[in-house]
């Protein structure tokens, strides 16, 4: 037997001794936190988007943080994100986010350290805060006449001058009409953009990532989709490459495969939803399909199960249900589960109405004259909630904070003289009785946007019967109106910072509180039927958390 210190054995030992050590940090970076928190309902308009990683990341990571505004500027970050050590951030410069607009953030796998790329990308959304003096009392404004029947209205800064213009879909050969904002909420007729005949709906989204909102429409009675790219306020490059044998009922544009560009998801009349992925330049390639049910309504995309990708929700007016399909992270959707709602749901809206950090589901129900609210348990399962009664049949729905209290309110189009119903959120996911905004005709499209630049959300409604669009400006409550209930006592958490146990004092009406981590995941739920509770944080990692209860939130630092 060879002696352990013979020449061959010593040589082998020498080789092993000089192998370079593998550093413990030689693994792909992981995401520690991404702020603003997912589904935030009242985020400061100048709040930076900040991603913190487990280790220092490489220079290419700054281009992997994508921030998409829905009303002004389109893709805001691009290559403008900054990188310092473990942190990639984007500050909304030279201007902040629009009041009440939904902002989507994509963090792609291109976020890399020396040792590798980010393994799991993430997509999440938040809503920018509103201000101003508006209290959901809509009046004034104007009624804009159009030459033909209209099908939809959407607001966005199409000419890049800092105010929000109107894009109106028309049921004729004219296509889409632009109304340009003077800066004060009054509008001048702009160009008509040829999008093919009989436009069912028009949308604005930055499909090629150049910082300008492009125009997308469903035309031909639903049988083709047209994309026109924005070139400093002029729409060019007509693309008619998406034609369908079955009519398109609705579409949505969002980053469903987490690669940093906006994809197109379309619901077809036969119950099929098709995903058309974006190549990053605004060209779309048809991809996966999923069956949802017959004759779907207007779909929605949102992260309802808090896993960092956008899920698919499709109403079925004939089945009185909403079909919920979870995203596997690559833009492929599962078979789905059904949520029972009112009779003949037309569309889906998602908002955190009970301030617990997840997105709840709302549908306007044409036949039952109601809005169904179904509450999310944090995992994408919907139940409970209530039926919000209306005095007329709703055709469309919009959700936004119209009285600047940090809570999303509900507006629904009505029929006849009732106009638009306004239901104000009381703070716990319940709503006060509906008030009405008088309009000339029933609405077929509804939108909320700050068109007069005073910080609050104004009301936009398209009317098929009169070939017009109504603009109603948000103002203070009537002096004769009651001031409403006094604001609830503030949510309290002490001590703060904390190391072990935290005492909570909840606002009136709250029976429980939730603790969310930096990725907006619920990590603790504590009942508090008497309005107080003790929260144990001793086993939690140190960091910044959020306590939420009854429409209020307070930051909590765990040391």
């Amino acid at each position: 037997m060879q002696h352990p210190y013979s020449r061959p054995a010593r040589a082998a030992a020498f080789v092993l001794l000089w192998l370079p050590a593998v550093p413990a940090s030689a693994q792909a970076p992981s995401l520690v936190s991404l702020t603003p928190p997912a589904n935030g309902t009242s985020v400061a308009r100048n709040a930076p988007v900040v991603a913190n990683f487990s280790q220092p990341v490489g220079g290419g990571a700054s281009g992997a943080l994508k921030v998409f505004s829905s009303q002004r500027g389109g893709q805001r970050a691009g290559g403008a994100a900054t990188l310092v050590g473990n942190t990639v951030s984007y500050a909304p410069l030279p201007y902040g986010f629009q009041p009440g607009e939904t902002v989507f953030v994509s963090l792609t796998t291109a976020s890399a350290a020396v040792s590798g790329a980010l393994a799991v990308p993430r997509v999440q959304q938040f809503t920018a805060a509103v201000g101003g003096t508006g209290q959901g009392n809509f009046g004034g404004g104007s009624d804009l006449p159009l030459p033909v029947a209209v099908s939809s209205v959407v607001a966005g800064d199409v000419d890049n001058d800092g105010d929000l213009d109107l894009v109106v879909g028309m049921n004729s050969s004219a296509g889409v009409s632009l109304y340009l904002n003077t800066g004060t909420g009054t509008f001048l007729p702009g160009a008509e953009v040829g999008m093919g005949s009989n436009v069912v709906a028009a949308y604005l989204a930055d499909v090629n990532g150049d910082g300008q909102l492009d125009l997308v429409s469903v035309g031909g009675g639903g049988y083709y989709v047209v994309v026109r790219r924005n070139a400093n306020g002029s729409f060019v490059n007509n693309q008619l490459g998406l034609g369908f044998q079955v009519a398109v009922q609705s579409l949505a544009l969002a980053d469903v495969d987490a690669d940093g560009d906006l994809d197109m998801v379309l619901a077809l009349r036969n119950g099929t939803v098709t995903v058309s992925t974006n190549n990053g330049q605004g060209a779309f390639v048809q991809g996966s399909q999923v069956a949802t049910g017959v004759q779907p309504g207007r779909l929605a995309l949102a992260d309802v199960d808090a896993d960092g990708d956008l899920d698919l929700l499709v109403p079925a007016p004939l089945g009185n249900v909403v079909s919920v399909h979870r995203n596997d992270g690559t833009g492929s959707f599962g078979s789905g589960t059904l949520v029972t709602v009112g009779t003949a749901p037309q569309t889906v809206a998602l908002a955190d109405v009970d301030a617990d950090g997840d997105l709840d589901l709302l549908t306007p129900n044409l036949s039952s004259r109601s809005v169904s609210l179904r509450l999310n348990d944090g995992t994408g399962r919907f139940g409970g909630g209530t039926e919000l009664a209306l005095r007329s049949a709703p055709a469309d729905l919009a959700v936004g904070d119209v009285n600047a209290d940090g809570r999303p309110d509900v507006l629904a189009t009505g029929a006849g003289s009732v106009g638009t119903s306004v239901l104000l959120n009381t703070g716990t996911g319940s709503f006060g009785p509906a008030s009405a905004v008088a309009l000339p005709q029933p609405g077929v499209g509804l939108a909320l946007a700050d068109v007069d630049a005073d910080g609050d959300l104004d009301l936009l409604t398209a009317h098929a019967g009169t070939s017009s669009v109504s603009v109603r400006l948000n103002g203070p409550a009537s002096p004769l109106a009651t001031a409403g209930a006094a604001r609830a006592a503030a949510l309290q958490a002490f001590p703060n910072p904390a190391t072990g146990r935290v005492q909570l004092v909840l606002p009136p009406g709250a029976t429980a509180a939730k603790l969310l981590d930096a990725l907006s995941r619920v990590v603790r739920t504590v009942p508090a039927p008497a309005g107080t509770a003790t929260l144990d944080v001793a086993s939690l990692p140190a960091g910044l958390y959020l306590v939420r209860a009854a429409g209020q939130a307070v930051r909590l630092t765990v040391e």
Side-chain angles (χ1 to χ4, degrees):
M1 182 176 71
Q2 187 177 25
H3 192 280
Y5 288 95
S6 64
R7 181 179 299 273
R10 289 198 304 271
F14 180 84
V15 172
L16 291 173
L17 179 66
W18 285 96
L19 283 175
V22 178
S25 61
Q27 57 184 355
S30 60
L31 180 64
V32 175
S33 65
L34 179 60
T35 57
N39 311 323
T41 57
S42 189
V43 173
R45 292 174 54 199
N46 62 350
V49 177
V50 181
N52 288 305
F53 295 91
S54 58
Q55 57 180 291
V57 290
S62 63
L65 178 64
K66 309 290 186 180
V67 181
F68 289 92
S69 285
S70 57
Q71 293 183 344
R72 185 182 177 198
Q75 184 180 311
R76 295 287 299 270
T82 58
L83 188 153
V84 179
N86 294 33
T87 300
V88 179
S89 63
Y90 168 72
L93 298 173
Y95 52 85
F97 302 115
Q98 286 293 304
E101 75 168 330
T102 299
V103 179
F104 282 91
V105 179
S106 293
L107 193 66
T108 76
T109 55
S111 302
V114 174
S115 54
L118 180 68
V120 180
R122 187 172 183 87
V123 179
Q124 64 187 44
Q125 69 184 70
F126 63 85
T127 302
V130 303
T133 60
Q135 293 295 298
N137 183 41
F138 296 96
S142 57
D143 294 301
L144 309 176
L146 284 104
V148 294
V150 300
S151 59
S152 65
V153 60
V154 63
D157 185 10
V158 300
D159 55 359
N160 306 307
D161 65 351
D163 51 41
L164 300 183
D165 311 300
L166 303 186
V167 173
V168 183
M170 296 186 290
N171 289 323
S172 74
S173 59
V176 167
S177 182
L178 305 181
Y179 271 78
L180 302 181
N181 197 333
T182 63
T184 62
T186 58
F187 296 87
L188 300 174
E192 289 187 355
V193 183
M195 303 292 288
S197 61
N198 298 321
V199 170
V200 176
Y203 308 83
L204 289 171
D206 184 5
V207 299
N208 59 345
D210 65 351
Q212 302 184 80
L213 294 173
D214 306 304
L215 182 56
V216 181
S217 71
V218 178
Y223 287 93
Y224 56 80
V225 173
V226 178
V227 179
R228 278 191 180 270
R229 297 171 187 166
N230 191 342
N232 300 317
S234 297
F235 292 97
V236 298
N237 298 334
N238 194 13
Q239 179 185 336
L240 290 171
L242 295 174
F244 297 88
Q245 297 298 315
V246 180
V248 176
Q249 297 288 92
S250 67
L251 67 80
L253 293 133
D255 185 8
V256 298
D257 55 3
D259 65 350
D261 51 41
L262 301 182
D263 308 299
M264 187 182 299
V265 180
L266 307 102
L268 307 183
R269 187 172 296 168
N270 65 359
T272 300
V273 169
T274 182
V275 179
S276 295
T277 57
N278 192 336
N279 69 351
Q281 303 299 314
F284 297 90
V285 179
Q286 186 170 321
S288 61
Q289 294 185 333
V290 59
T292 65
V294 296
Q295 293 193 18
R298 279 164 285 175
L299 63 87
L301 296 167
D303 183 10
V304 299
D305 55 2
D307 64 350
D309 52 42
L310 300 181
D311 307 301
L312 169 67
L313 297 96
V314 185
L318 298 181
N320 306 328
V321 295
V322 173
S323 183
V324 180
H325 303 262
R326 297 171 190 256
N327 192 340
D328 69 358
T330 68
S332 294
F333 298 96
S335 57
T337 57
L338 299 180
V339 181
T340 302
V341 293
T343 309
Q346 301 299 296
T347 187
V348 179
L350 285 305
D352 183 9
V353 301
D354 55 358
D356 63 353
D358 53 46
L359 296 174
D360 307 302
L361 182 153
L362 301 109
T363 64
N365 309 310
L366 190 64
S367 298
S368 58
R369 297 192 173 195
S370 67
V371 171
S372 292
L373 168 63
R374 299 293 180 265
L375 299 177
N376 192 340
D377 69 355
T379 68
R381 291 190 291 265
F382 297 92
T386 187
E387 301 297 316
L388 308 177
L390 303 174
R391 287 177 286 177
S392 60
D396 201 1
L397 182 72
V399 180
D401 181 10
V402 298
N403 60 347
D405 64 353
R407 307 161 181 165
D409 307 302
V410 173
L411 292 87
T413 54
S417 61
V418 175
T420 294
S421 297
V422 181
L423 300 98
L424 299 181
N425 193 333
T426 64
T428 60
S430 60
F431 293 81
S435 61
V437 181
L439 296 169
Q441 284 287 330
V444 294
L446 186 65
L448 292 169
D450 181 17
V451 297
D452 56 356
D454 64 352
D456 52 40
L457 294 179
D458 307 304
L459 173 64
L460 311 168
T461 310
H463 308 289
T466 59
S467 302
S468 66
V469 169
S470 290
V471 179
R472 296 293 180 266
L473 302 179
N474 197 344
S478 168
L480 299 179
T482 59
R487 289 201 178 246
L491 170 66
Q492 301 177 53
F494 56 90
N496 191 1
T499 56
R501 294 180 180 270
V502 179
Q503 299 301 314
L504 302 179
V505 178
L506 276 61
T511 58
K514 293 188 177 184
L515 182 69
L516 287 73
D517 66 10
L519 292 177
S520 298
R521 298 173 297 200
V522 177
V523 296
R524 294 280 192 278
T525 299
V526 290
T532 62
T534 300
L535 178 64
D536 186 357
V537 299
S539 61
L540 295 176
L544 185 64
Y545 294 80
L546 196 68
V547 181
R548 286 191 171 182
Q552 297 187 27
V554 62
R555 294 184 183 276
L556 174 66
T557 301
V558 175
E559 295 182 336

